[in-house]
Amino acid sequence: MNWLQLAEEVIAGKMISNEEAMAILNSDDDDLLKIMDGAFAIRKYYYGKKVKLNMIMNAKSGYCPEDCGYCSQSSKSTAPIDKYPFITKDEILAGAKRAFENKIGTYCIVASGRGPTRKDVNVVSEAVEEIKEKYGLKVCACLGLLKEEQAQQLKEAGVDRYNHNLNTSERHHSYITTSHTYEDRVNTVEIAKKHGISPCSGAIIGMKETKKDVVDIARALHQLDADSIPVNFLNAIDGTKLEGTKELNPRYCLKVLALFRYINPTKEIRISGGREVNLRSLQPLGMYAANSIFVGDYLTTDGQEANSDYRMLEDLGFEIEFTQKQEEVFC
């Protein structure tokens, strides 16, 4: 297959077929660079060589009643993690200051649990108002299943984006969790969109899904019109249902990133959790398909040092995308 020609057709408005999508995932490793060349052509057309940086603030850890099989914070997990209730506004602001100083464009406030309480939403709302005034960061909230009035309050406070991952295909969803439905997740994303908050929703790859499931979730996120799509690669944690699962290799992970770019050409594709342990030495190649990464640690697992990411982007000749206030300081 002529992958660069397919990329040009995608730029012209073509949606790739299921056969073409599966061909990416089933391709011979010898074709990997050609596939990535096509993915980069699409990425460069829409985003040039700019990279969006994101940082997570784990605002509440553990104590989650859900049974998600990948998560160390779930009620079924026996993983030894730090557990603490929702942090204070001042702690959220301190994290935003660190994000600004580390050239992060999007600050992600994440909390465990089925959904936020009224108090949680109030704390986030008050913090976001100050973050916008002091640092001008884009703010993404990830607080679980969302109600209409909560979405409206977050929007009024200045939350730019709401993350709620579909995680896997509708068919495979019940294998991953039974304490909420696939439709519950879709509904939360739709509520955020309804109230004018940019939707962020993605996937976790490597949870014993089939390649067809990977294609299906990439298409579902296209249909959902998610503006930002985090692609996570399972970092199987001891004490979780998926403990010991090791289905991925760096070359397959790159094919997955390329697939998401071919199917979602205009969207922010973010290499997210598990990139260090799954892409390993091939992490730089991932940036030819993706245009966004998390910098620093994740929720309960460590990321690589931020300086390593900055050096990687510099070596690639890519450019960090700053907020207006950061441009005034760093540029």
Side-chain angles (χ1 to χ4, degrees):
M1 186 176 294
N2 188 326
W3 297 107
L4 191 56
Q5 179 180 330
L6 181 61
E8 291 169 352
E9 292 172 358
V10 167
I11 291 171
K14 171 189 170 76
M15 170 55 74
I16 67 172
S17 67
N18 285 335
E19 290 76 18
E20 290 164 333
M22 289 298 291
I24 293 173
L25 298 182
N26 288 323
S27 62
D28 191 285
D29 289 344
D30 290 349
D31 290 332
L32 179 57
L33 290 181
K34 295 176 183 178
I35 293 170
M36 296 304 294
D37 187 32
F40 180 57
I42 300 169
R43 180 236 201 272
K44 188 176 180 182
Y45 181 83
Y46 289 104
Y47 292 99
K49 299 176 79 173
K50 289 186 177 293
V51 179
K52 302 172 187 287
L53 301 185
N54 304 257
M55 188 185 95
I56 289 176
M57 167 56 75
N58 193 0
K60 177 188 174 186
S61 182
Y63 305 112
C64 184
E66 303 295 291
D67 65 357
C68 303
Y70 56 84
C71 186
S72 60
Q73 302 183 78
S74 88
S75 60
K76 303 297 183 182
S77 170
T78 60
I81 62 168
D82 290 337
K83 296 182 179 181
Y84 50 84
F86 213 96
I87 62 177
T88 65
K89 182 184 77 170
D90 287 344
E91 289 173 302
I92 295 174
L93 289 170
K97 183 175 185 291
R98 291 195 302 275
F100 182 87
E101 293 171 346
N102 283 282
K103 305 177 182 179
I104 304 298
T106 302
Y107 181 54
C108 307
I109 304 170
V110 184
S112 65
R114 183 174 177 83
T117 66
R118 179 181 298 179
K119 181 181 178 182
D120 297 340
V121 175
N122 287 341
V123 170
V124 171
S125 298
E126 292 172 9
V128 170
E129 290 175 355
E130 289 196 35
I131 291 169
K132 287 294 183 179
E133 181 180 349
K134 290 182 177 180
Y135 306 114
L137 296 174
K138 177 179 285 187
V139 177
C140 178
C142 178
L143 310 175
L145 300 176
L146 201 60
K147 299 175 182 176
E148 298 272 358
E149 62 273 15
Q150 294 173 328
Q152 184 60 36
Q153 182 176 341
L154 292 171
K155 172 63 178 178
E156 291 173 355
V159 169
D160 301 282
R161 180 166 285 170
Y162 196 84
N163 167 258
H164 199 62
N165 292 333
L166 297 188
N167 286 330
T168 193
S169 71
E170 184 172 9
R171 184 198 67 82
H172 194 56
H173 186 270
S174 61
Y175 173 77
I176 303 303
T177 181
T178 60
S179 52
H180 60 268
T181 66
Y182 180 86
E183 290 74 20
D184 288 334
R185 288 187 168 271
V186 171
N187 185 55
T188 284
V189 178
E190 293 291 358
I191 286 174
K193 288 167 60 178
K194 176 181 176 181
H195 290 275
I197 302 176
S198 172
C200 172
S201 188
I204 305 174
I205 307 300
M207 299 192 295
K208 301 186 178 182
E209 73 279 347
T210 66
K211 290 176 181 175
K212 184 179 184 302
D213 288 318
V214 177
V215 173
D216 287 348
I217 184 63
R219 290 204 186 284
L221 293 165
H222 179 272
Q223 293 168 359
L224 197 59
D225 200 25
D227 292 328
S228 179
I229 301 175
V231 181
N232 301 272
F233 298 103
L234 181 68
N235 182 1
I237 299 172
D238 290 348
T240 65
K241 176 182 177 179
L242 291 169
E243 172 184 348
T245 304
K246 294 181 179 180
E247 299 188 330
L248 304 175
N249 65 62
R251 301 173 306 285
Y252 179 71
C253 292
L254 289 174
K255 293 171 189 177
V256 168
L257 290 170
L259 172 76
F260 273 75
R261 176 55 70 200
Y262 278 89
I263 290 180
N264 298 280
T266 67
K267 302 302 186 179
E268 175 185 335
I269 306 294
R270 185 183 323 135
I271 310 179
S272 300
R275 68 178 167 96
E276 297 86 353
V277 298
N278 287 292
L279 281 165
R280 300 194 287 277
S281 63
L282 298 191
Q283 285 185 70
L285 283 177
M287 300 312 303
Y288 287 100
N291 64 300
S292 178
I293 56 172
F294 274 116
V295 174
D297 296 336
Y298 302 99
L299 293 174
T300 62
T301 57
D302 297 334
Q304 66 186 22
E305 291 185 1
N307 285 339
S308 296
D309 287 326
Y310 299 140
R311 187 164 51 249
M312 175 181 71
L313 298 177
E314 181 181 356
D315 290 348
L316 286 165
F318 287 0
E319 179 184 351
I320 296 172
E321 184 172 310
F322 293 124
T323 66
Q324 184 175 343
K325 287 191 176 184
Q326 286 170 330
E327 286 181 347
E328 295 171 358
V329 174
F330 300 117
C331 299

